[in-house]
Amino acid sequence: MASWGPRFLLRSSGLFPRTQGSRNAAQRLLSVQRRPFSDTKILVEFDENKGVAVMKMKSPPVNSLSLDFLTEFVINLEKLENDKGCRGVILTSGTPHIFSAGLDIMEMVGKSEAHYTEFWKAVQEMWLTLYNSSMVTLAAINGSSPAGGCLMAMSCDYRIMADNPKYGIGLNETQLGIVAPFWFKDTIVNTVGHRAAERSLQLGLLYPPAEALKVGMVDELVPEEKVQSRAAEVMSQWLAIPGHARQLTKSSMRKPTLDRLVAHRDSDIQNFVRFISRDSIQRSLQSYMESLKQRRG
Ligand code: CO8
């Protein structure tokens, strides 16, 4: 079993078409994000015999997707992608009861336009890298997974969720007074279909596991203590399929969705910065953060 931190050499795998120019995702991110990591937010355990890595998000209290987190995530995923011995990744959480609370709201409140730009590029990069991965990607959802957390899970090939009615999963953006970008929408449509996605998005629904299964947002539920072992089992089933055929199939299914963001990256960033900078949106996000605190009492 090998494990590593976030620093290593990067090179493009060439397995999947890269999404932009000759520089890979991590290099592009590092060119805008050079701050040192204060600590490791994602633990990677790579079982070389099985060719499977477990990426365990460990950024308490809620694994929120901050700029540092996203940068580390992309770098780690790129490293696995570039390692020909790694054929599958299980994405899970090492933070009790939370898969991921989604985007770090504090990155979107009271910051400069330059910061919002840098942050949104990192969010895009996370999704492009994960959705475009040639590896088998499996989400072992062992906690709540709202908004960006749900996006991450939906970007994997298969989702196993802990059958705990306290957990919720969904794109709840409208409940924060914000609007899920088109590629969040594309991802949920690709997962649950148009009608369920529309209802889900308009109402900002967070589904308990049983409803998430019914609507197709997750593929199976298992008792909480079985999430990791079941993920390992499912991974070996997927890895039994001839890799090249599976990768080409995945690529052909996902390419149009990926291409849409790649073609509109800059305007998507501009839209985000314009939208998030509005006073009304800033107030909505601030009062949402307040409501989280009050709910706790
Ligand atoms: N970002 C930043 N901080 C957060 C977030 C977050 N997403 N979620 C929780 N926190 C903070 C809380 O404020 C709290 O901080 P503090 O201790 O300083 O008061 C701490 O984390 C712990 O939170 P809780 O006490 O609420 O923890 P619980 O275990 O009770 O609940 C939950 C965990 C269920 C995850 C709960 O915190 C929650 O519901 N969080 C909000 C999740 C959410 O709504 N996320 C949406 C983020 S937006 C997004 O991902 C997509 C945006 C797309 C942008 C489109 C714009 C155009």
Side-chain angles (χ1 to χ4, degrees):
M1 192 86 77
S3 65
W4 53 69
R7 288 176 201 83
F8 38 72
L9 284 172
L10 303 157
R11 88 192 138 76
S12 178
S13 69
L15 267 177
F16 258 27
R18 287 286 156 212
T19 48
Q20 219 184 54
S22 57
R23 300 162 76 214
N24 66 23
Q27 285 169 326
R28 288 196 299 279
L29 257 186
L30 284 173
S31 69
V32 293
Q33 159 67 15
R34 293 195 181 279
R35 279 174 291 162
F37 295 113
S38 50
D39 56 353
T40 298
K41 299 178 192 311
I42 300 155
L43 303 176
V44 181
E45 284 178 353
F46 180 32
D47 183 334
E48 288 165 28
N49 295 324
K50 293 192 172 133
V52 175
V54 176
M55 282 180 83
K56 199 174 273 185
M57 300 181 276
K58 210 165 183 190
S59 183
V62 291
N63 290 340
S64 62
L65 309 178
S66 63
L67 186 51
D68 283 351
F69 183 104
L70 291 163
T71 305
E72 192 179 323
F73 180 87
V74 169
I75 290 172
N76 277 305
L77 194 59
E78 279 274 349
K79 177 170 189 218
L80 297 172
E81 194 77 57
N82 293 341
D83 186 333
K84 287 206 167 62
C86 186
R87 299 185 299 137
V89 171
I90 296 171
L91 179 61
T92 192
S93 168
T95 304
H97 310 302
I98 313 283
F99 182 71
S100 164
L103 302 192
D104 191 321
I105 296 168
M106 299 317 293
E107 299 278 17
M108 301 188 280
V109 175
K111 302 284 193 301
S112 65
E113 289 199 358
H115 182 86
Y116 296 143
T117 302
E118 190 181 6
F119 178 61
W120 200 247
K121 272 187 191 162
V123 179
Q124 289 180 336
E125 208 65 73
M126 176 276 289
W127 180 77
L128 288 168
T129 310
L130 184 57
Y131 204 70
N132 192 36
S133 174
S134 64
M135 298 178 288
V136 174
T137 53
L138 216 147
I141 309 164
N142 48 354
S144 286
S145 192
C150 174
L151 179 78
M152 273 181 142
M154 289 191 301
S155 303
C156 293
D157 296 312
Y158 195 84
R159 284 157 287 286
I160 295 162
M161 188 170 187
D163 194 3
N164 182 337
K166 289 191 179 146
Y167 299 160
I169 182 165
L171 294 184
N172 61 326
E173 278 78 357
T174 52
Q175 295 207 28
L176 286 73
I178 56 179
V179 181
F182 72 88
W183 42 284
F184 282 49
K185 189 192 75 182
D186 290 346
T187 309
I188 189 173
V189 167
N190 290 352
T191 308
V192 301
H194 199 279
R195 169 64 191 135
E198 184 181 332
R199 178 169 170 270
S200 190
L201 284 170
Q202 284 201 46
L203 298 177
L205 294 177
L206 279 177
Y207 296 104
E211 283 183 42
L213 179 67
K214 206 162 145 197
V215 80
M217 184 164 277
V218 299
D219 297 296
E220 61 177 285
L221 304 182
V222 294
E224 188 134 17
E225 66 280 7
K226 299 235 166 85
V227 171
Q228 309 303 337
S229 56
R230 179 62 189 148
E233 249 171 51
V234 173
M235 179 60 80
S236 29
Q237 288 163 6
W238 280 64
L239 290 179
I241 305 296
H244 190 60
R246 188 199 54 74
Q247 285 165 14
L248 287 173
T249 304
K250 178 173 178 178
S251 175
S252 73
M253 292 295 290
R254 296 190 172 207
K255 192 172 181 306
T257 308
L258 288 157
D259 284 351
R260 228 155 84 83
L261 177 58
V262 172
H264 298 104
R265 277 192 86 161
D266 290 345
S267 59
D268 181 60
I269 292 169
Q270 285 159 19
N271 286 341
F272 171 77
V273 173
R274 210 178 306 123
F275 183 78
I276 215 72
S277 306
R278 282 191 209 157
D279 287 345
S280 59
I281 300 303
Q282 287 288 305
R283 281 196 299 272
S284 280
L285 290 177
Q286 277 159 0
S287 56
Y288 184 74
M289 287 304 282
E290 272 308 308
S291 72
L292 283 180
K293 285 190 202 310
Q294 277 164 14
R295 194 196 53 175
R296 207 171 39 178

